[in-house]
Amino acid sequence: MRDKDTKGLIFDIQGYSVHDGPGCRTLIFLKGCPLECKWCSNPEGISPLPQLMYYQDRCIGNFDCVKACRSQAVCIDQEREVAVIDRTICRGCVDLECMDVCDHNALLVSGYYMTIEELMKTIQRDRQYWGAGGGVTLSGGDPMLQYNFTRSVLQRCHDSYIHTAMETSGHAPWAHFEGILDYLDWIFFDIKHMDPKMHRMATGVLNNTILDNAKKIAQLENIRMMFRMVMVPGFNDSFENVKATAEFIKGVGQGEINILPLHHLGSSKYKLLGLTYNFDLRTTPTRESMEWAREIFAEHSIECYIGNDTPF
Amino acid sequence: MPDNKMNDDVDECGLFFQYGERKSKDVKGREIEKKPSQRVQKIRDLYFKTSSSVSMEFPHWYTRRWMELEGDIPIIRRAEAIKSAFKHLTPAIFPGELLVMGKTHYLRGSYPMPWLSGSYFMSKEDDMYKEALEAGKLSADEVTKWGAGGGNVTESVGNILSVAGKFGLRKEELPILIRTAKAWKNRSVEDIGSRYEKMVPEYKEKESIMRSVICMFDSGYTLPQGREVINYYYPLKYGIDGIIDYCKDKIGEVAGKPDMDRLYFYQAVVIGIEGIKSWILNHAKEARRLAEKEHDEKQRKEYAEIAEIMEWISSKPPRTFRDALQICWTFHTAVLNEDCISGMSPGRLGAILYPWWKNDMDNGTLTKESTMELLECMRMKFTELDCFASMGVVGGVLSGNTFNNLCIGGLDKNGQSSANELEMLILESAMTCATPQPTLSILYDEKLPEDILMKSVECTKTGTGYPAWINNQTAMEFIMNNYQDEGMTLEEARSWSIGGCLESSAGTWLPIDLDGKEYWIPGGAGTATSVGVHFIGVPKSLELVLYDGMDPRTGERVFPSHGYKLDTYEEVWEAFQKYFRETVKVLCLCNNIQHDAWRKITPPVINSFLKPDCLTNGKDIGQMGSRYNTTFNVETCGGVNLVNSLASLKKNVYEEKLFTLAELKNAIDNNFGYKHADEVGSYSLTEQKKSPEAKKWARIHKLCLNAPKYGNDDPYVDDIFEKWESWFCDMCHDYTSLYDKPLYACQISVSTHGPMGAVTLASADGRLSGTTFADASMSAYPGTDRNGPYALFNSATCWDHSKSQNTQLNMKIHPSAVEGREGARKLLELIRAYMRRGGFHVQFNIVDSRMLKDAQANPDKFRGLMVRVAGFTQYWVELGKPIQDEIIARTEYEKTG
């Protein structure tokens, strides 16, 4: 058995999560996503490997990391007295010597491996505090990218009578969905755009697999399906796209969507990862445009919940 | 319409035996069904084919040695008799067993103990039986009905004689039975005790009370020990030789010094334990013998392994989990062989055995699978136990159950959750090997982890009826309060456990050192409970009030006139209090004498050395050697029918004056125009049939049925309920036990609501003559709780449950209401809600009534079907018909909306 079956790469666990499924929940963020949305608010969740996060404001430029790096990817900017990491040279090595020698916590890693046993221990601990109606929500990234681990976690939770939810991009082989759906009570299914080309432009993949999977999951009786869409002004908030989305949801026999206004709270993390955030921080949907979208959904008899204003 | 059933009237009166709607026409089977390992499957199949059997070996050798030692010091004589009996028991080992030993060499064997009481198993023509009947000692037997199925031998067949209504005796052993029983005439605890009971000034009343079956039976002559938690600590910690060495040292210390009873006690322990030692070694020898002649390689190895283990534990403390489990079982059986006992509970066995289990798991000598096999074997051993007592006791009270209650959960010494992984496996084994014993209880505490709670829910959903859900905090409050004068502390209160059906019992913590780690294990530290005043049918007491001291069933005067005109409701309540007090007073005095005779004639030796602190202070249990002795109680049955009847009287007769008391009595005399339950052949309200003149009493009956009923969150009746509970719990303290400690309230019905209902005429709440009372003590009368479980919970918790040793709420839920994972979680929420309101106990039958009806008609198809009665799970086919009817009639909660 390889490690991937027994260990998962996690970048955060949040107890008392109150918006990602019914009741009070424990939210587990799994690293790795098949999509790469430009507005992603958890950019550290995209790569399927542990990643170095560099907090430049904490750096005092003392050369420790420069000496430690075996790839010579780090140098010091003499003028500003801070380290500079050349991410094209950095190999993302597992030793993370540079991080170990930094006494100022300027270098940290996102992502740590946990065994199923370790994770279940955390879940069983948190379980004491959910109260009635809570449970576990797997998020990310996309948990489907760590299929084996995700499957085991869901199965273990299911066997312990724990309510399970998962948020997914939907971009995974159907066989993988088949492998986990028996253990899942609730699914948040993300829709980015109905047009395949637009979809690929913004996320890197076409949407046909996603929509096919959505259709199949929508037919299942024992699973609550909640579509989710981040409203990105100028990208997917056109009348045509909202209408097409509503028709699709109606067409697969579902009747609920949770629309989330685009926010930029994750933008600072791009810099930590050595990436650039390409969105204008001023681009946020207005309250009116969200209400406008809701009305379109309503016309298609679809319950539309805006942001955190949900019935769960 | 002579054949009109009560059912037809029920709708008119608004009684619902069904809460929620009936969704499906198909009978719903059990959602979760698991199977034992192949090994245990075989043992269980064998058990199903086995009947309750009597072996006279133990009583024969006991009696012989006892008679030889005429004149010796009683406890020495007793120990010698026990030793001789143990030495002579024929060892028997059944193929496939991993744990060995039993009460007798039969798989399902037991025997009478004529040194306690000998009359009840004699033939009805025998003088001994006739005399006992006259004294009211066998009245409960006469009104009790046995289940005819399963392993009960209710009739003699061929070479097998039916004894005491349930047990099979080989014809050739009959002369020994008679000889042994006759040998104890005028010498038994019952015969000697009865002589002194007569010196109680109100003794005549006591006989009348027993003949009227206001009380079920004498506590001291029937089951003088039990309803307590055993303590396996000393054998586990020191081994048999360790205990012998300790006693020998002590003998040297106390010989010739004041308080000389200690000397005899220590000597008796040495003698008794030597008997157990030979008994164990005889099993080792038997295993060696079987190994030699066995051809199957695997089985031969197993016999050899058994022999090695038995040889080891015959002197030393355990090395492994299996050794430890065998030691527990050996001493458990040893105690049950010493005295007539029901409800000797292993207590928190998962916490007790955890040190050895953890050790074995850590060093890889044990796996979860092999643990499961051992635990399943243990379940079969406990299930094979039978308790030999009279029909009234075994049938009427216990329904054949032996109440070896094993508790899960609770708190540890430091107030943290005590649940562990071994307890998860104990729960699992109770599902894979679903048998009545040991029954499980979960000591629910807010600190318990969800996984053990959900596992318990899963087990509840199998329909076995266990685990019972017990409120840990409420019980601890009772324990703290009841034993405060004997020095109970909060830390010690946490070691409590259920002994027997639902009897909260005091315990203590003792240390085990294993591989450099220290564990504090819980165990019993109190004497027997549910001794003292045995089950009083409280609606019968109210009946006596209405009939001014006469029992209308027998026509016999029980008490002198109460002197009230009964012009007001308050007078009824006062007259009831007067008669009830008189009943408790008389029974308490007589029972104290019975127990005094018991402790003098048959002092407990084995249970004593096990129970802290007898061994350290050199006193047996009868001399208050146990750490906690405030254990005598007053048991009631039918409280809910009393309360409903009082509400009906108050409203119909005194407030709204819809009919007079005389009119009501006339209706009661005529059973509201219905035939008697015996004539109908059914004991539940719904199945009763009208007589041709029923119309005459229809109005009064309807008003009685429509009066406010407990279980609906109706303040009118809940106030009466609260008043009754508070008064009853407090008044018990006014009476004193043999050990000079106050009595307290115990509110479990076990099966007594059947026979006690049988002797009670129709009551003012509309219940008909001879029919069963409401089960338990917090359950509503079947069909009268119309507002759902939350209203029932509110009614049940309108008073403080920690004032009583226990309370009991049985609920019947249709499998569809708790179906699936979501259903399981919701069941936990329901339980939690009741616990948070301070409810002491709730347990469930998750079963479709139609399946039970099918089982009643076709017992052969349902040999393995188990149901929850009241504090215990029993095979359906071994239950008496009145109890079967009552369970079918219980309000069934189904999915709503």
Side-chain angles (χ1 to χ4, degrees):
Chain A
M1 192 188 283
R2 280 185 292 162
D3 253 9
K4 66 169 187 175
D5 297 328
T6 52
K7 282 189 174 177
L9 183 61
I10 285 158
F11 67 96
D12 201 7
I13 298 177
Q14 295 176 355
Y16 194 56
S17 158
V18 292
H19 297 305
D20 294 286
C24 302
R25 309 183 72 83
T26 294
L27 194 50
I28 296 152
F29 293 91
L30 290 146
K31 222 161 155 354
C33 185
L35 274 58
E36 205 171 338
C37 307
K38 296 189 191 322
W39 59 85
C40 185
S41 59
N42 287 325
E44 74 276 39
I46 296 172
S47 159
L49 295 168
Q51 275 171 294
L52 197 60
M53 302 193 61
Y54 173 39
Y55 295 78
Q56 205 176 61
D57 53 335
R58 296 178 192 166
C59 179
I60 60 157
N62 67 359
F63 287 91
D64 284 351
C65 51
V66 178
K67 285 177 221 154
C69 178
R70 291 163 197 166
S71 317
Q72 300 187 343
V74 192
C75 62
I76 296 291
D77 181 332
Q78 301 283 0
E79 208 169 292
R80 291 190 291 151
E81 292 186 343
V82 290
V84 176
I85 303 169
D86 188 336
R87 295 268 180 178
T88 59
I89 300 172
C90 172
R91 314 290 296 197
C93 53
V94 286
D95 291 6
L96 292 164
E97 292 283 336
C98 56
M99 182 177 83
D100 290 345
V101 298
C102 180
D103 295 333
H104 306 280
N105 290 327
L107 290 166
L108 296 174
V109 70
S110 167
Y112 46 92
Y113 289 95
M114 270 183 115
T115 64
I116 286 165
E117 296 302 330
E118 286 165 340
L119 182 59
M120 286 312 294
K121 221 173 155 182
T122 306
I123 292 172
Q124 292 286 5
R125 177 203 66 202
D126 282 12
R127 185 184 196 183
Q128 312 301 310
Y129 303 97
W130 297 332
V136 161
T137 300
L138 299 186
S139 184
D142 184 345
M144 292 306 284
L145 209 68
Q146 296 187 46
Y147 166 69
N148 289 309
F149 184 73
T150 294
R151 184 173 186 276
S152 305
V153 173
L154 290 174
Q155 185 174 2
R156 287 284 293 271
C157 288
H158 183 273
D159 290 350
S160 303
Y161 294 88
I162 293 170
H163 184 276
T164 53
M166 178 175 82
E167 174 150 26
T168 177
S169 70
H171 192 79
W174 174 246
H176 282 188
F177 274 108
E178 274 187 317
I180 60 139
L181 287 170
D182 280 350
Y183 313 120
L184 202 57
D185 297 308
W186 181 299
I187 191 163
F188 288 108
F189 200 97
D190 291 0
I191 300 269
K192 316 290 183 192
H193 204 292
M194 292 308 292
D195 180 72
K197 283 180 189 155
M198 290 290 279
H199 197 276
R200 186 165 62 185
M201 188 194 79
T203 70
V205 300
L206 290 168
N207 65 0
N208 42 6
T209 310
I210 296 172
L211 298 181
D212 279 354
N213 286 336
K215 270 180 217 161
K216 290 176 185 157
I217 294 167
Q219 305 315 309
L220 301 173
E221 271 184 19
N222 291 329
I223 192 159
R224 172 103 176 248
M225 193 173 191
M226 181 69 61
F227 286 100
R228 255 186 177 172
M229 181 157 86
V230 178
M231 298 299 283
V232 183
F235 168 64
N236 60 6
D237 63 345
S238 68
F239 175 74
E240 290 73 25
N241 187 53
V242 174
K243 184 165 169 283
T245 309
E247 281 165 355
F248 174 77
I249 294 171
K250 200 73 210 156
V252 299
Q254 292 288 328
E256 282 180 306
I257 189 166
N258 183 196
I259 56 172
L260 308 167
L262 175 73
H263 64 74
H264 306 288
L265 300 174
S267 61
S268 59
K269 287 193 277 189
Y270 280 78
K271 205 176 167 195
L272 304 179
L273 294 162
L275 304 170
T276 1
Y277 188 58
N278 285 324
F279 255 85
D280 184 344
L281 296 186
R282 287 165 301 181
T283 322
T284 46
T286 59
R287 183 78 210 169
E288 290 73 32
S289 66
M290 297 299 281
E291 288 294 343
W292 169 81
R294 166 152 60 193
E295 272 164 37
I296 299 174
F297 283 112
E299 280 164 23
H300 290 78
S301 334
I302 290 167
E303 287 282 348
C304 174
Y305 318 118
I306 299 172
N308 293 336
D309 188 11
T310 59
F312 50 83
Chain B
M1 306 183 292
D3 263 324
N4 213 7
K5 282 189 185 175
M6 180 73 191
N7 243 341
D8 307 328
D9 280 3
V10 164
D11 294 339
E12 286 169 37
C13 300
L15 264 72
F16 295 99
F17 291 86
Q18 170 89 39
Y19 180 82
E21 60 186 286
R22 187 66 89 203
K23 282 256 160 59
S24 143
K25 285 218 164 66
D26 303 322
V27 176
K28 187 115 187 125
R30 275 155 181 191
E31 185 186 328
I32 301 168
E33 273 183 310
K34 299 188 181 188
K35 280 204 160 68
S37 58
Q38 274 195 333
R39 170 194 301 279
V40 177
Q41 181 91 50
K42 278 185 200 155
I43 301 173
R44 193 165 68 166
D45 288 347
L46 187 64
Y47 171 79
F48 279 154
K49 290 180 203 137
T50 310
S51 298
S52 286
S53 316
V54 181
S55 159
M56 288 305 293
E57 273 183 353
F58 197 101
H60 168 76
W61 290 104
Y62 180 102
T63 305
R64 191 173 143 156
R65 185 73 183 132
W66 175 271
M67 297 303 168
E68 280 170 9
L69 292 174
E70 182 90 54
D72 207 333
I73 287 174
I75 196 165
I76 300 293
R77 216 176 153 189
R78 164 95 168 147
E80 286 283 358
I82 290 168
K83 179 182 175 179
S84 171
F86 273 121
K87 261 175 76 176
H88 286 93
L89 279 181
T90 304
I93 295 170
F94 298 92
E97 283 188 328
L98 294 175
L99 289 177
V100 298
M101 305 180 85
K103 279 177 93 162
T104 73
H105 59 281
Y106 293 123
L107 188 72
R108 191 177 176 179
S110 60
Y111 48 85
M113 296 188 179
W115 43 92
L116 192 61
S117 162
S119 53
Y120 65 91
F121 55 82
M122 301 303 283
S123 78
K124 295 195 176 181
E125 290 71 40
D126 193 276
D127 287 344
M128 277 169 80
Y129 188 91
K130 284 183 189 161
E131 285 163 26
L133 188 63
E134 180 60 28
K137 291 184 194 306
L138 300 171
S139 306
D141 297 23
E142 298 268 302
V143 296
T144 296
K145 290 173 174 62
W146 256 115
N152 293 343
V153 185
T154 51
E155 277 171 28
S156 301
V157 191
N159 204 30
I160 304 298
L161 298 169
S162 170
V163 185
K166 166 181 159 90
F167 307 93
L169 175 78
R170 285 172 187 278
K171 235 178 198 158
E172 61 267 26
E173 285 196 41
L174 181 65
I176 304 178
L177 177 99
I178 294 172
R179 198 177 62 217
T180 314
K182 298 267 180 193
W184 288 93
K185 194 165 157 55
N186 297 327
R187 289 188 170 105
S188 70
V189 173
E190 181 171 27
D191 290 354
I192 292 172
S194 297
R195 268 179 245 153
Y196 296 96
E197 269 188 74
K198 291 191 176 115
M199 297 176 183
V200 172
E202 300 88 347
Y203 178 73
K204 280 282 164 224
E205 271 177 20
K206 189 248 173 180
E207 278 199 355
S208 304
I209 286 170
M210 301 313 286
R211 271 197 298 269
S212 294
V213 200
I214 295 166
C215 174
M216 265 311 268
F217 56 85
D218 291 319
S219 139
Y221 308 145
T222 50
L223 302 165
Q225 292 196 84
R227 285 75 58 204
E228 64 189 284
V229 181
I230 198 167
N231 201 319
Y232 306 119
Y233 177 75
Y234 297 113
L236 286 175
K237 168 93 177 172
Y238 301 105
I240 285 182
D241 285 358
I243 300 173
I244 295 178
D245 291 346
Y246 179 86
C247 289
K248 287 189 171 159
D249 284 353
K250 280 288 187 182
I251 287 169
E253 252 175 58
V254 301
K257 307 255 174 69
D259 202 359
M260 197 81 74
D261 282 349
R262 292 181 296 167
L263 171 67
Y264 313 125
F265 174 70
Y266 285 122
Q267 181 59 21
V269 172
V270 172
I271 297 165
I273 210 164
E274 278 170 0
I276 296 175
K277 192 177 179 131
S278 343
W279 182 45
I280 296 171
L281 286 170
N282 286 343
H283 279 80
K285 237 183 277 170
E286 172 68 1
R288 292 256 176 253
R289 186 186 72 82
L290 288 167
E292 264 170 42
K293 60 174 223 172
E294 179 62 54
H295 298 299
D296 180 70
E297 182 56 36
K298 196 167 150 271
Q299 182 65 57
R300 187 167 62 222
K301 230 182 109 214
E302 284 185 11
Y303 284 139
E305 225 168 47
I306 290 169
E308 195 278 329
I309 290 172
M310 299 312 277
E311 280 154 9
W312 179 270
I313 67 156
S314 72
S315 58
K316 296 189 184 65
R319 304 154 292 184
T320 62
F321 172 70
R322 184 171 166 186
D323 283 355
L325 189 59
Q326 178 68 56
I327 287 179
C328 292
W329 172 247
T330 299
F331 280 86
H332 199 90
T333 328
V335 172
L336 293 179
N337 271 2
E338 175 188 39
D339 213 339
C340 196
I341 293 175
S342 80
M344 181 56 70
S345 294
R348 290 157 70 173
L349 196 62
I352 294 164
L353 293 176
Y354 184 73
W356 291 275
W357 183 78
K358 180 86 172 75
N359 224 25
D360 287 3
M361 289 296 283
D362 285 351
N363 61 32
T365 51
L366 197 68
T367 62
K368 284 191 174 175
E369 290 69 33
S370 51
T371 311
M372 282 294 290
E373 232 182 17
L374 282 167
L375 292 173
E376 288 173 356
C377 283
M378 174 195 82
R379 291 202 64 80
M380 287 317 301
K381 276 286 154 207
F382 274 100
T383 299
E384 287 157 15
L385 288 172
D386 255 338
C387 170
F388 193 107
S390 73
M391 182 140 149
V393 175
V394 186
V397 180
L398 312 177
S399 274
N401 208 278
T402 52
F403 300 91
N404 302 272
N405 210 324
L406 194 163
C407 289
I408 307 265
L411 298 180
D412 68 14
K413 189 166 171 276
N414 300 318
Q416 298 296 321
S417 159
S418 165
N420 63 42
E421 301 141 87
L422 177 57
E423 291 183 339
M424 291 289 272
L425 296 178
I426 289 175
L427 278 163
E428 181 68 22
S429 69
M431 289 188 260
T432 56
C433 184
T435 56
Q437 297 296 331
T439 189
L440 303 183
S441 296
I442 174 148
L443 311 183
Y444 175 90
D445 195 283
E446 292 286 332
K447 287 183 182 172
L448 290 192
E450 289 284 309
D451 56 348
I452 200 139
L453 295 175
M454 284 313 302
K455 190 90 187 163
S456 303
V457 168
E458 188 179 326
C459 189
T460 303
K461 278 183 66 178
T462 58
T464 52
Y466 53 66
W469 294 77
I470 319 281
N471 194 330
N472 191 50
Q473 292 295 327
T474 308
M476 276 170 52
E477 283 177 23
F478 167 79
I479 296 279
M480 288 285 286
N481 194 34
N482 196 59
Y483 298 103
Q484 56 180 330
D485 291 345
E486 294 188 89
M488 179 57 74
T489 64
L490 176 61
E491 191 180 88
E492 185 123 305
R494 290 179 184 136
S495 68
W496 86 281
S497 188
I498 295 281
C501 168
L502 277 176
E503 287 89 333
S504 307
S505 300
T508 187
W509 301 104
L510 289 162
I512 288 282
D513 288 303
L514 208 61
D515 262 19
K517 268 187 95 176
E518 188 182 62
Y519 302 85
W520 287 84
I521 61 169
T527 46
T529 80
S530 282
V531 284
V533 179
H534 254 289
F535 293 95
I536 299 176
V538 283
K540 187 81 188 167
S541 296
L542 182 64
E543 183 179 291
L544 288 178
V545 170
L546 300 186
Y547 289 81
D548 201 22
M550 293 280 289
D551 177 2
R553 181 181 73 105
T554 58
E556 181 180 348
R557 173 159 291 283
V558 179
F559 295 123
S561 164
H562 50 61
Y564 290 96
K565 282 190 180 144
L566 305 183
D567 287 338
T568 62
Y569 171 74
E570 285 64 36
E571 282 190 352
V572 173
W573 174 237
E574 277 171 31
F576 169 80
Q577 288 176 309
K578 187 175 175 181
Y579 276 172
F580 189 79
R581 271 193 181 279
E582 187 65 15
T583 311
V584 172
K585 184 183 99 184
V586 174
L587 291 173
C588 177
L589 294 172
C590 290
N591 283 313
N592 283 346
I593 290 174
Q594 295 168 13
H595 281 275
D596 195 45
W598 163 79
R599 68 172 174 170
K600 288 193 162 75
I601 299 161
T602 59
V605 176
I606 296 165
N607 198 21
S608 290
F609 77 71
L610 291 174
K611 189 120 338 164
D613 304 310
C614 294
L615 207 54
T616 41
N617 63 26
K619 288 178 178 169
D620 71 67
I621 288 170
Q623 301 308 314
M624 290 172 69
S626 314
R627 194 172 297 180
Y628 300 104
N629 299 283
T630 315
T631 58
F632 279 45
N633 59 19
V634 182
E635 295 162 337
T636 56
C637 161
V640 162
N641 289 94
L642 167 79
V643 167
N644 286 344
S645 298
L646 287 171
S648 172
L649 281 164
K650 189 177 182 200
K651 192 169 198 295
N652 290 325
V653 176
Y654 296 103
E655 283 177 5
E656 300 186 4
K657 300 188 175 21
L658 297 170
F659 47 80
T660 64
L661 197 57
E663 284 171 321
L664 175 67
K665 275 170 72 181
N666 187 260
I668 288 174
D669 288 338
N670 288 285
N671 197 23
F672 294 115
Y674 281 80
K675 295 177 180 172
H676 192 270
D678 276 337
E679 197 185 329
V680 180
S682 170
Y683 302 88
S684 85
L685 187 67
T686 47
E687 299 291 318
Q688 299 309 308
K689 288 174 185 165
K690 284 182 180 175
S691 72
E693 298 150 55
K695 277 207 173 107
K696 274 165 77 178
W697 294 279
R699 179 182 154 268
I700 293 183
H701 193 212
K702 192 168 176 174
L703 287 167
C704 287
L705 285 172
N706 278 344
K709 294 281 185 280
Y710 161 82
N712 294 294
D713 193 27
D714 177 349
Y716 189 90
V717 57
D718 287 356
D719 282 355
I720 298 174
F721 182 60
E722 191 277 330
K723 203 171 167 197
W724 148 247
E725 285 292 355
S726 299
W727 174 77
F728 167 54
C729 292
D730 288 342
M731 67 81 73
C732 295
H733 303 320
D734 297 342
Y735 304 89
T736 307
S737 77
L738 170 65
Y739 303 119
D740 199 18
K741 308 280 182 202
L743 269 48
Y744 56 85
C746 170
Q747 305 188 59
I748 49 175
S749 73
V750 206
S751 310
T752 59
H753 52 302
M756 304 222 78
V759 298
T760 309
L761 298 192
S763 39
D765 57 347
R767 188 195 130 271
L768 298 176
S769 178
T771 61
T772 307
F773 293 148
D775 60 282
S777 58
M778 297 299 118
S779 309
Y781 187 65
T784 62
D785 44 338
R786 300 166 214 174
N787 297 325
Y790 299 148
L792 174 63
F793 288 178
N794 244 23
S795 291
T797 55
C798 70
W799 64 287
D800 175 9
H801 287 206
S802 73
K803 286 170 79 94
S804 180
Q805 186 187 20
N806 44 41
T807 68
Q808 188 174 29
L809 173 60
N810 297 327
M811 290 182 80
K812 191 166 74 175
I813 294 190
H814 191 270
S816 71
V818 292
E819 206 169 1
R821 279 156 39 80
E822 203 49 46
R825 282 194 287 260
K826 284 174 183 159
L827 181 58
L828 179 59
E829 288 313 313
L830 185 75
I831 296 161
R832 216 194 287 267
Y834 186 58
M835 296 284 138
R836 284 179 178 164
R837 291 280 303 174
F840 174 81
H841 155 274
V842 61
Q843 64 192 2
F844 302 92
N845 269 309
I846 295 178
V847 66
D848 191 323
S849 300
R850 289 167 296 180
M851 180 162 132
L852 298 180
K853 278 186 186 158
D854 189 14
Q856 208 173 27
N858 307 294
D860 296 342
K861 263 170 62 189
F862 292 90
R863 177 62 184 88
L865 174 67
M866 302 195 302
V867 290
R868 194 72 175 173
V869 183
F872 64 97
T873 292
Q874 185 55 294
Y875 287 116
W876 175 257
V877 295
E878 297 197 359
L879 288 172
K881 186 152 189 303
I883 297 296
Q884 287 186 348
D885 288 343
E886 180 270 307
I887 292 170
I888 291 174
R890 284 181 195 172
T891 307
E892 187 165 306
Y893 288 95
E894 194 159 346
K895 213 184 258 178
T896 53

